[in-house]
Amino acid sequence: MLRCVNLSLSYRIPGPFWRKSTRVFAVNDVSITLPPRQTLALVGESGSGKSTTGRLLLGLETPDAGYVMLNGTRLPKPGTRRWQKLRKRLQLVYQSPLAALDARMKISDAVREPLAIHNIGTPQERALKVGAALEAVGLTLEQSSRYPHELSGGQVQRAVLARAMVTEPEVMVCDEPMSALDVSVQAQVMNTLLEMQKRMRMAILFISHDLRLVRQIAHEVAVMYLGRIVEQGPTELVLHRPLHPYTRALVSAVPVIGARGQQRIVLAGDPPDPSRPPNGCPFHPRCSLAVDRCRVDRPALRTSAEGQSVACHVAEIGAEASR
Amino acid sequence: MEDHVQPLLSIDNLHVDFGGVEAVRDLSLTLERGQTLGVVGESGSGKSASWLAALGLIGTQASCYGSVRLHGMEILNADKRVLTQVRGRRIAIVFQDPTSALNPLRSIGWQIKEALRLHRGLSGRPLQQETERLLTRVGIADAARRKNALPHEMSGGQNQRVMIAMALAGEPEILVADEPTTALDSTIQAQILDLLRDIQRETGMALVLISHDLAVVSEVCDQVAVMYAGQIIESAPTAQLFAKPLHPYTKGLLAAQPTLDGPARPMRPIRGTTPRPDEMPSGCSFAPRCDLMITPCRRPQTLRHVAPSRSVACVRVEMEG
Ligand SMILES: Nc1ncnc2c1ncn2[C@@H]1O[C@H](COP(=O)(O)OP(=O)(O)OP(=O)(O)O)[C@@H](O)[C@H]1O
Ligand SMILES: Nc1ncnc2c1ncn2[C@@H]1O[C@H](COP(=O)(O)OP(=O)(O)OP(=O)(O)O)[C@@H](O)[C@H]1O
Ligand code: SF4
Ligand SMILES: [Mg+2]
Ligand SMILES: [Mg+2]
């Protein structure tokens, strides 16, 4: 089981020489638990810290505060031998597939590489595993003999997925893994992931903007805004009875076939600036429900009896979970 | 031909060939001022390749045949001098996978300024102001400072918006946007689509939207072309396509679409797989996966008109009205 507790990370950004450098608060106080066989979807505003959270969770970046535990022990420092050994059990599907692959390496070699690095299987076994992974994502042998720039966007994305799947990891962080696939191929890849999850007891962090896909795969959904989780709970509840005003806007803006000009909640004001997060509730400058308290007090996550958590002073959650 | 009947852009019988593998076959379409054309279809069906070829951006491994005319001027395989005048200024493109399309060593502000200098001849203060204005318009907060960031210091969706700002910098007549909102959440996606629509209204810019998101296409496009295995297999006005898809591939694609509302049901892929290029059927390319296949399907299928602005490449589709 992978668990992270109160993770925070900020990046320094240099200003012009006459100004001081500032900090971008990318992830703030994020705690996540990923039990085996479960999928947690991480959704939310572009730039809210989803990819950064994914990288922190796999130990690819070092947090300013907080820690990550795998099966009860602290994740070792990146680059150490112990960490190297763990890596094959934790895989990341990068958001930008072309940047994730070596341009001079053929696709089949790129998919085989993790097996070689982690010394998994004999050459014959490796060939079988590579073949199976490629087939699972719908790439042909001929396509896998090409270089990344000789494939379509969706084909490269599938290659990156196959590369992560080939070691049969315990935990997979999938960062927008299907954004370049047509829905029929999405369906195929989705079924493969679900089957693999069952068979391998794999835990998945599924980062995606596509709430329809999220609904297909996730047991739980966590919603991020400006570096923080503002809502989390069972998928059907979060998507169909969102409590946080930001989640409501997010769900209402999902386009629907044949519903041109549907009613969506338009967020007032500018997108937030992560180098100057507002006091109080991070969402208050754009929130139509904000009251005085929202401008000074930051709301903590409150959990309803049904297991839906929300960080909002105003949202009605009914009976609170007893703790 | 008289000028006023000339379409803004017309593509005729375009073929793109990667050393014997035909990625695009016999593609024809026209684009009018202010129009929004959606291009949807299979992953690997030639959506990106056809537009990259049209703009001479596809590299040397490909041979391109046919014709691509902008206001009647041939630009397919045109020489570099012509193409540099067309690209960015008259036809701009937002590439798929923006993080790898941006220059990793230059700040995002530098890259937008470069486009502004090149296409609009701006410099000095106006150049700074316009750079920040464009970044703000695509929803990047604190543009004055964030413009100094390198692409790897931005999120995936922020880079996607930087690409859009760069493309808009040249105030193009045609914007080809290849999956421009895949890394954006639904609220920012709606904001960007509104922005593009506003610009279209202000300037008459035509938009080619390549996308796997059928719902986005259904909301913003006037006309939709569906591609399968290198060909357009169906083309129709948006409302008609979604209300009554005609080609079995289009039907399968729409049926596979998951929804946010209604009962959750597992996604159903279209059975079978895409034909390998070396095993491309001589008849309809979809035939091996099609439930309606009959003997005449073994003959090559080309697009034929079935109604105004509506065509389909399938023998089983009856002529309408
Ligand atoms: N190396 C870096 N240096 C400085 N800022 C960074 C760096 N990496 C990320 N950021 C900033 O941190 C914030 C969070 O970025 P992150 O990539 O985690 O967002 P995201 O939620 O994945 O967004 P998207 O949905 O657009 O991919 C953003 O404001 C981004 O600009
Ligand atoms: N340099 C190349 N050499 C050989 N084949 C190529 C090359 N570039 C692209 N192809 C092939 O051409 C076909 C069309 O590619 P294209 O990028 O146009 O697909 P697409 O429709 O944009 O797909 P996606 O939705 O996955 O981005 C694909 O099958 C791809 O593998
Ligand atoms: S805490 Fe206040 S500002 Fe924040 S979301 Fe709730 S109502 Fe809006
Ligand atoms: Mg991201
Ligand atoms: Mg493409």
Side-chain angles (χ1 to χ4, degrees):
Chain A
M1 179 155 93
L2 192 65
R3 198 160 71 91
C4 71
V5 184
N6 306 122
L7 288 181
S8 296
L9 180 64
S10 64
Y11 295 104
R12 204 180 64 84
I13 48 168
F17 62 88
W18 66 92
R19 275 208 294 206
K20 278 207 319 228
S21 67
T22 47
R23 291 198 156 271
V24 175
F25 298 92
V27 172
N28 267 309
D29 203 17
V30 165
S31 301
I32 283 176
T33 304
L34 274 184
R37 269 184 101 156
Q38 291 283 308
T39 301
L40 172 67
L42 202 53
V43 307
E45 173 143 278
S46 167
S48 61
K50 302 180 298 296
S51 299
T52 309
T53 301
R55 288 195 301 271
L56 283 167
L57 208 58
L58 298 187
L60 297 169
E61 286 198 72
T62 314
D64 299 339
Y67 55 91
V68 183
M69 311 270 283
L70 179 66
N71 301 330
T73 52
R74 287 282 277 268
L75 210 64
K77 282 219 160 55
T80 60
R81 278 189 60 136
R82 280 211 315 130
W83 183 78
Q84 290 290 357
K85 276 187 76 164
L86 277 179
R87 274 294 287 146
K88 68 171 179 233
R89 290 158 58 191
L90 312 173
Q91 290 290 336
L92 172 64
V93 179
Y94 288 86
Q95 183 170 13
S96 173
L98 265 182
L101 293 174
D102 183 339
R104 292 152 309 176
M105 199 185 266
K106 286 189 175 148
I107 297 300
S108 54
D109 294 331
V111 175
R112 188 180 301 104
E113 192 184 42
L115 295 175
I117 292 176
H118 300 299
N119 233 325
I120 302 171
T122 63
Q124 288 90 329
E125 283 165 352
R126 284 181 197 168
L128 281 176
K129 280 182 192 282
V130 170
L134 290 169
E135 194 186 326
V137 297
L139 287 179
T140 63
L141 270 181
E142 186 274 327
Q143 285 163 345
S144 73
S145 68
R146 298 195 211 145
Y147 293 95
H149 66 270
E150 296 173 337
L151 291 177
S152 80
Q155 288 161 348
V156 188
Q157 193 168 49
R158 283 179 272 168
V160 175
L161 253 167
R163 185 178 147 99
M165 281 170 21
V166 76
T167 60
E168 305 193 321
E170 222 172 290
V171 178
M172 229 164 123
V173 172
C174 300
D175 199 349
E176 294 288 354
M178 302 180 193
S179 59
L181 307 180
D182 64 80
V183 283
S184 175
V185 175
Q186 277 177 351
Q188 182 193 347
V189 171
M190 184 66 85
N191 293 339
T192 305
L193 265 181
L194 290 172
E195 186 273 324
M196 229 179 114
Q197 177 169 50
K198 252 202 223 126
R199 188 163 46 85
M200 310 297 309
R201 300 178 50 76
M202 185 167 77
I204 303 177
L205 184 73
F206 193 82
I207 303 174
S208 177
H209 289 300
D210 191 333
L211 299 184
R212 292 158 301 204
L213 282 183
V214 162
R215 188 181 181 208
Q216 291 287 323
I217 193 169
H219 303 94
E220 281 217 359
V221 178
V223 184
M224 284 188 81
Y225 187 83
L226 209 55
R228 295 177 188 273
I229 292 181
V230 295
E231 177 160 5
Q232 181 170 352
T235 304
E236 289 295 314
L237 287 182
V238 174
L239 296 184
H240 293 130
R241 208 193 60 197
L243 294 175
H244 197 283
Y246 173 68
T247 317
R248 290 197 183 155
L250 194 68
V251 171
S252 83
V254 173
V256 177
I257 288 179
R260 220 172 175 138
Q262 57 168 336
Q263 282 300 309
R264 67 166 207 265
I265 304 169
V266 179
L267 289 180
D270 292 329
D273 174 359
S275 62
R276 263 169 289 175
N279 287 332
C281 170
F283 190 57
H284 89 251
R286 308 175 78 189
C287 182
S288 60
L289 303 180
V291 293
D292 285 346
R293 187 177 172 202
C294 306
R295 288 177 258 280
V296 279
D297 269 0
R298 195 176 50 241
L301 280 170
R302 290 180 294 144
T303 307
S304 77
E306 287 156 300
Q308 189 172 3
S309 308
V310 61
C312 168
H313 294 306
V314 175
E316 297 275 356
I317 66 165
E320 248 180 88
S322 49
R323 311 217 222 187
Chain B
M1 204 186 273
E2 274 170 40
D3 198 50
H4 66 270
V5 292
Q6 221 165 54
L8 173 56
L9 185 86
S10 65
I11 300 183
D12 292 293
N13 310 104
L14 177 69
H15 287 258
V16 179
D17 188 314
F18 291 104
V21 179
E22 280 215 293
V24 178
R25 294 182 290 154
D26 207 21
L27 181 139
S28 302
L29 58 82
T30 60
L31 190 64
E32 306 289 347
R33 226 176 95 80
Q35 195 189 359
T36 304
L37 171 70
V39 181
V40 304
E42 244 205 326
S43 168
S45 60
K47 300 184 297 298
S48 302
S50 47
W51 292 94
L52 291 173
L55 292 178
L57 289 169
I58 198 150
T60 48
Q61 314 121 304
S63 340
C64 313
Y65 315 93
S67 155
V68 178
R69 278 166 298 160
L70 178 66
H71 295 293
M73 174 183 73
E74 182 62 53
I75 60 167
L76 186 69
N77 300 321
D79 58 78
K80 229 179 138 189
R81 201 172 37 84
V82 176
L83 283 173
T84 39
Q85 269 164 20
V86 169
R87 271 187 230 141
R89 183 78 188 119
R90 307 186 69 180
I91 311 180
I93 183 160
V94 175
F95 293 98
Q96 209 174 355
D97 202 353
T99 301
S100 61
L102 290 167
N103 180 343
L105 304 176
R106 294 287 193 174
S107 73
I108 56 163
W110 187 92
Q111 303 190 48
I112 293 176
K113 276 188 220 154
E114 191 62 12
L116 286 169
R117 256 195 296 263
L118 206 65
H119 304 310
R120 306 237 308 264
L122 294 185
S123 65
R125 192 87 199 107
L127 179 64
Q128 297 290 351
Q129 275 166 351
E130 183 64 3
T131 303
E132 285 169 27
R133 192 187 69 89
L134 281 169
L135 281 171
T136 309
R137 262 197 115 171
V138 295
I140 306 282
D142 193 18
R145 212 187 318 250
R146 282 330 293 266
K147 67 175 195 250
N148 298 315
L150 294 170
H152 80 267
E153 295 169 337
M154 302 291 273
S155 81
Q158 287 164 342
N159 280 332
Q160 202 159 41
R161 286 176 275 156
V162 169
M163 275 296 318
I164 292 171
M166 259 171 84
L168 294 175
E171 299 180 326
E173 287 172 81
I174 303 174
L175 177 66
V176 179
D178 199 348
E179 301 284 1
T181 62
T182 50
L184 305 182
D185 64 85
S186 56
T187 65
I188 294 183
Q189 168 171 277
Q191 203 179 311
I192 293 288
L193 294 173
D194 286 348
L195 168 68
L196 293 178
R197 220 177 331 218
D198 288 348
I199 291 173
Q200 284 187 283
R201 251 196 305 265
E202 286 160 26
T203 69
M205 178 180 83
L207 174 64
V208 179
L209 183 72
I210 304 175
S211 178
H212 288 303
D213 193 329
L214 300 173
V216 164
V217 167
S218 92
E219 283 202 0
V220 305
C221 297
D222 309 315
Q223 178 85 17
V224 184
V226 186
M227 291 191 72
Y228 183 82
Q231 280 180 305
I232 295 178
I233 49 94
E234 178 160 9
S235 171
T238 308
Q240 291 181 31
L241 186 93
F242 289 99
K244 195 173 171 223
L246 294 177
H247 197 284
Y249 173 70
T250 317
K251 287 182 184 166
L253 199 63
L254 283 173
Q257 170 83 3
T259 57
L260 196 57
D261 294 311
R265 49 178 180 83
M267 292 173 78
R268 240 172 349 124
I270 301 169
R271 74 174 165 85
T273 50
T274 318
R276 283 172 31 189
D278 53 325
E279 285 179 353
M280 195 57 76
S282 54
C284 168
S285 51
F286 190 62
R289 305 173 74 181
C290 185
D291 294 330
L292 301 179
M293 214 264 280
I294 50 171
T295 312
C297 301
R298 301 221 173 87
R299 286 196 303 269
Q301 297 297 315
T302 49
L303 275 183
R304 64 192 166 80
H305 266 283
V306 291
S309 305
R310 220 176 162 179
S311 41
V312 60
C314 169
V315 272
R316 300 289 313 249
V317 176
E318 311 287 324
M319 300 285 272
E320 294 219 328

